[in-house]
Amino acid sequence: MQPSNANGVYANFINGKWQPAASGETFENRDPANGELIGTFPRSGAADVEAAVAAARAAFDGWRLTPAPKRGEILYRVGHILQERKEDLARAMTREMGKVLMETRGDVQEGIDMAYYMAGEGRRLFGAVVPAELPNKAAMGVRDPLGVIACITPWNFPMAIPSWKTMAALIAGNTVVLKPATDTPLSALNLAQAFADAGLPPGVLNVVCGTGSEVGMPLVRHPQVNGISFTGSNAIGREVNVAAAEQFKRVTLELGGKNAIIVMDDADLDLAVEGILWSAFGTTGQRCTACSRLIVQRGARRELEARLVERARALRLGHGLDDATQVGPVINASQRASIHRYVGIAQDEGAKVLCGGNFAEEGDLAKGTFYQPTILSDVTPQMRVAQEEIFGPVLSVIEVATLEEAIAVNNDTRYGLSSAIFTRDINAAQVAMRDLTTGIVYVNAGTIGAEIQLPFGGTRGTGNGHREAGLGALEFFTEWKAIYIDYSGKLQRAQIDS
Ligand code: UN1
């Protein structure tokens, strides 16, 4: 399962072979919890992009014409291999990006779930058969693959998100070039190794490591790339969308979130506390779905704040491989600096720091990029800290008087990924389910933990209207072809002959 050549030197996966960057250049990948070197990875460029796209293009016809159930059999094997390797893959991922082992196991599990789900789609890929308006004529719609897909993935779910994208693309008959985040190339290469071991033909899936500007954007602009599936920041998402528009390419964008949990006065506060802590500080707050706003009804506010502060202060920070650790490091120094800037902005705007608010540097923590779990109070809905994505362990508490106000505050941001309500009132829950305008809504659970069999994605600036996972994924990765078969033996003119 080791895609390393030797001594921690890793290669791209192009046309079924492990290959260094054509330039020979590399970049380092380090453990954010202690700075240890994990390995060096190819710093690829135009020549590598060219080779990968050419391989994907050459493999396309063979793969498109492989019956979808057979494509599915390979995905079943991938799922099985990931399951066998789950522990090793999770450990490698924890070292690579910091989240605790329990969560990296979950990340690999999401890949396994997707493999089995999409493998099953190989025996469905439902089209449509409809009646024709003329006699002795048949009409149906089938799904065609788009061609070569570029998948550009983030570091926070290093195996799950590449799995969502590649597996859905592949079952539909597309071939793929995957560009993983520079912070997490190893997990993507481990995924590629599972595909190779499962018998995927050469060129069907290729992985090219490197930066967004040297690999990502050239892929987006490449005339032989037909579709782009991107997860990352809004700033880069916009660049991707604009570049793709020039060639009328189909793009799916999965961007930021500013997700909220609403807690009503009647809520089960024990449950709400657990849900909020898990959603705000799990993955060190670095999920698109993380809870970064707590919208609490006035009567529950003081007690909830007190309980959250006590629990947040007690969270144990450390290396994610240590069983006692509950919160790992943030991904890198520049991300930590950005989180810290937001805490300063919040204070300037009048928010109060209830706990945390600074780097965590006691003892061994000084070796890594740790940030204290932070709760900000007296936040108002229009403060920057309540509007902009922070992507770190920072929770802002906003007080409201009513359910209607809570829903309005939730909906009034530029993002719309995930939201949640804790209440025991079934009427309030129904109203929330109807009126919360996010792509994902939870009742009596936190904002994280979407399952792969439902569409994943958000409204407003969270994306461009597409959905990943579930049935939503096949809509993106296939193109409808309408087919009419006339067996009347004469020319029948639709809309003319009746
Ligand atoms: C992400 O943060 O980009 O719903 C993905 C969740 C996970 C996926 C998060 N299943 O929290």
Side-chain angles (χ1 to χ4, degrees), residues 110 156-157 161 164 287-289 448-450 456:
E110 215 162 318
N156 67 333
F157 276 82
I161 293 179
W164 297 358
R287 293 196 191 205
C288 308
T289 51
I448 68 175
F456 181 93

Short mmCIF file of all heavy atoms in Angstrom, two decimals, residues 110 156-157 161 164 287-289 448-450 456, ligand 1:
data_model
loop_
_atom_site.label_atom_id
_atom_site.label_comp_id
_atom_site.label_asym_id
_atom_site.label_seq_id
_atom_site.Cartn_x
_atom_site.Cartn_y
_atom_site.Cartn_z
N GLU A 110 -15.77 7.26 5.13
CA GLU A 110 -16.60 7.96 4.15
C GLU A 110 -16.20 7.53 2.73
O GLU A 110 -17.06 7.42 1.84
CB GLU A 110 -16.47 9.48 4.35
CG GLU A 110 -17.75 10.19 4.07
CD GLU A 110 -17.84 11.60 4.64
OE1 GLU A 110 -17.42 11.85 5.78
OE2 GLU A 110 -18.36 12.46 3.93
N ASN A 156 -8.91 19.18 4.28
CA ASN A 156 -9.59 18.85 5.55
C ASN A 156 -10.25 17.47 5.54
O ASN A 156 -10.45 16.87 6.58
CB ASN A 156 -10.58 19.95 5.94
CG ASN A 156 -11.75 20.06 5.00
OD1 ASN A 156 -11.66 19.69 3.83
ND2 ASN A 156 -12.87 20.56 5.50
N PHE A 157 -10.59 16.98 4.34
CA PHE A 157 -11.08 15.59 4.21
C PHE A 157 -10.26 14.92 3.12
O PHE A 157 -10.71 14.73 1.99
CB PHE A 157 -12.58 15.56 3.92
CG PHE A 157 -13.39 15.66 5.18
CD1 PHE A 157 -13.63 16.89 5.76
CD2 PHE A 157 -13.86 14.53 5.81
CE1 PHE A 157 -14.34 16.99 6.96
CE2 PHE A 157 -14.56 14.60 7.00
CZ PHE A 157 -14.81 15.84 7.58
N ILE A 161 -13.23 13.45 0.46
CA ILE A 161 -13.65 14.32 -0.65
C ILE A 161 -13.08 13.82 -1.99
O ILE A 161 -13.82 13.74 -2.98
CB ILE A 161 -13.35 15.80 -0.35
CG1 ILE A 161 -14.25 16.25 0.81
CG2 ILE A 161 -13.58 16.67 -1.59
CD1 ILE A 161 -14.08 17.70 1.25
N TRP A 164 -15.51 11.08 -2.86
CA TRP A 164 -16.80 11.55 -3.37
C TRP A 164 -16.69 11.86 -4.86
O TRP A 164 -17.54 11.51 -5.66
CB TRP A 164 -17.24 12.85 -2.74
CG TRP A 164 -17.51 12.89 -1.28
CD1 TRP A 164 -17.45 11.85 -0.39
CD2 TRP A 164 -17.87 14.05 -0.53
NE1 TRP A 164 -17.75 12.32 0.85
CE2 TRP A 164 -18.02 13.65 0.81
CE3 TRP A 164 -18.08 15.38 -0.87
CZ2 TRP A 164 -18.37 14.55 1.82
CZ3 TRP A 164 -18.43 16.27 0.13
CH2 TRP A 164 -18.58 15.86 1.45
N ARG A 287 -14.02 22.17 9.24
CA ARG A 287 -14.91 21.53 8.26
C ARG A 287 -15.71 22.64 7.59
O ARG A 287 -16.07 23.62 8.24
CB ARG A 287 -15.92 20.61 8.95
CG ARG A 287 -15.34 19.40 9.59
CD ARG A 287 -16.46 18.39 9.87
NE ARG A 287 -15.99 17.32 10.73
CZ ARG A 287 -16.51 16.11 10.78
NH1 ARG A 287 -17.56 15.80 10.03
NH2 ARG A 287 -16.03 15.19 11.58
N CYS A 288 -16.07 22.41 6.35
CA CYS A 288 -16.99 23.34 5.70
C CYS A 288 -18.30 23.37 6.47
O CYS A 288 -19.02 24.36 6.45
CB CYS A 288 -17.32 22.90 4.27
SG CYS A 288 -15.90 22.58 3.31
N THR A 289 -18.61 22.25 7.12
CA THR A 289 -19.87 22.13 7.84
C THR A 289 -19.75 22.52 9.31
O THR A 289 -20.74 22.43 10.05
CB THR A 289 -20.36 20.66 7.78
OG1 THR A 289 -19.28 19.82 8.20
CG2 THR A 289 -20.84 20.28 6.40
N ILE A 448 -22.47 18.93 11.60
CA ILE A 448 -21.52 18.11 10.84
C ILE A 448 -21.99 16.66 10.78
O ILE A 448 -22.85 16.24 11.56
CB ILE A 448 -20.09 18.17 11.44
CG1 ILE A 448 -20.01 17.51 12.81
CG2 ILE A 448 -19.62 19.61 11.53
CD1 ILE A 448 -18.59 17.46 13.38
N GLY A 449 -21.43 15.92 9.83
CA GLY A 449 -21.73 14.49 9.80
C GLY A 449 -22.72 14.08 8.74
O GLY A 449 -23.48 13.10 8.91
N ALA A 450 -22.72 14.77 7.60
CA ALA A 450 -23.60 14.38 6.50
C ALA A 450 -23.24 12.98 6.01
O ALA A 450 -22.07 12.61 6.00
CB ALA A 450 -23.47 15.38 5.37
N PHE A 456 -24.96 16.50 -1.00
CA PHE A 456 -24.17 17.36 -0.12
C PHE A 456 -23.85 18.65 -0.85
O PHE A 456 -23.29 18.62 -1.95
CB PHE A 456 -22.86 16.66 0.27
CG PHE A 456 -21.99 17.46 1.21
CD1 PHE A 456 -22.08 17.29 2.57
CD2 PHE A 456 -21.10 18.40 0.71
CE1 PHE A 456 -21.29 18.04 3.45
CE2 PHE A 456 -20.31 19.16 1.57
CZ PHE A 456 -20.41 18.97 2.94
C1 UN1 B 1 -16.22 19.30 4.46
O1 UN1 B 1 -16.01 19.84 5.52
O2 UN1 B 1 -15.79 19.82 3.40
O3 UN1 B 1 -20.77 16.48 6.81
C2 UN1 B 1 -16.90 18.01 4.30
C3 UN1 B 1 -19.62 16.41 7.25
C4 UN1 B 1 -18.64 15.48 6.58
C5 UN1 B 1 -18.09 16.10 5.35
C6 UN1 B 1 -17.53 17.48 5.55
N1 UN1 B 1 -19.32 14.25 6.25
O4 UN1 B 1 -19.25 17.06 8.22
#
